[in-house]
């Protein structure tokens, strides 16, 4: 069974790409839990909320991986919560950092920032997209994780992602 994580800065099409790839391959995908959680809050989020989100995302990833027999796509993963936490609070929960290596991902698809920014009440950083992309690329590289940068718009982006997935099948 192969696990593919889609990671990258906000507003780079991770959710759409995860859903499209799962449809193309006829398999499952794990949505981003942060969106569900943050939409249910009746207050601004706090540092502790990010740890809760990370733990739930990790549990959802583990459950889905145990239920799939060929491929599973993760719309976000713990590198996203790590970078989000560090950018927002200049620190990160040790649990998140420790569990990044336990995700057992076969390939990371790093979504490029060449898509237009889409406003959304949960998105926070339209003006530092280049910086955020560099943080993701650095984190993946420092950890020695296999990754492919996915760029393009629309159908071209999906085709580029499919080509990347095919390299591990």
């Amino acid at each position: 069974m192969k696990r593919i994580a889609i990671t990258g800065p906000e507003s780079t099409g991770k959710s759409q790409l995860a859903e499209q790839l799962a449809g193309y391959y006829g398999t499952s995908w794990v949505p981003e839990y942060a969106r569900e959680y943050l939409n249910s809050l009746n207050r601004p989020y706090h540092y502790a909320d990010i740890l809760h989100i990370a733990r739930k995302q990790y549990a959802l990833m583990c459950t889905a991986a145990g239920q799939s027999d060929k491929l599973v796509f993760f719309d976000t993963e713990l590198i996203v919560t790590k970078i989000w936490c560090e950018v927002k609070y200049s620190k990160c929960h040790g649990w998140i950092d420790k569990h990044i290596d336990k995700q057992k991902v076969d390939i990371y698809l790093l979504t490029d920032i060449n898509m237009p920014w889409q406003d959304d009440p949960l998105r926070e950083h339209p003006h530092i997209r280049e910086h955020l992309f560099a943080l993701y690329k650095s984190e993946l590289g420092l950890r020695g994780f296999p990754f492919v940068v996915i760029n393009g718009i629309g159908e071209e982006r999906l085709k580029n992602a499919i080509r990347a997935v095919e390299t591990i099948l």
Side-chain angles (χ1 to χ4, degrees), residues 49-77:
D49 291 316
I50 297 177
L51 178 58
H52 170 79
I53 290 165
R55 286 182 168 152
K56 180 69 173 183
Q57 188 72 45
Y58 183 78
L60 291 169
M61 291 169 67
C62 292
T63 299
Q67 295 173 345
S68 184
D69 59 348
K70 58 178 185 170
L71 283 174
V72 64
F73 292 93
F74 304 130
D75 165 20
T76 202
E77 44 68 59

Side-chain angles (χ1 to χ4, degrees), residues 61-100:
M61 291 169 67
C62 292
T63 299
Q67 295 173 345
S68 184
D69 59 348
K70 58 178 185 170
L71 283 174
V72 64
F73 292 93
F74 304 130
D75 165 20
T76 202
E77 44 68 59
L78 296 182
I79 292 174
V80 172
T81 54
K82 178 183 191 288
I83 290 173
W84 172 24
C85 202
E86 289 175 344
V87 167
K88 179 76 173 180
Y89 297 104
S90 300
K91 60 183 179 177
C92 184
H93 303 277
W95 186 95
I96 295 172
D97 197 47
K98 191 183 311 180
H99 280 76
I100 289 172

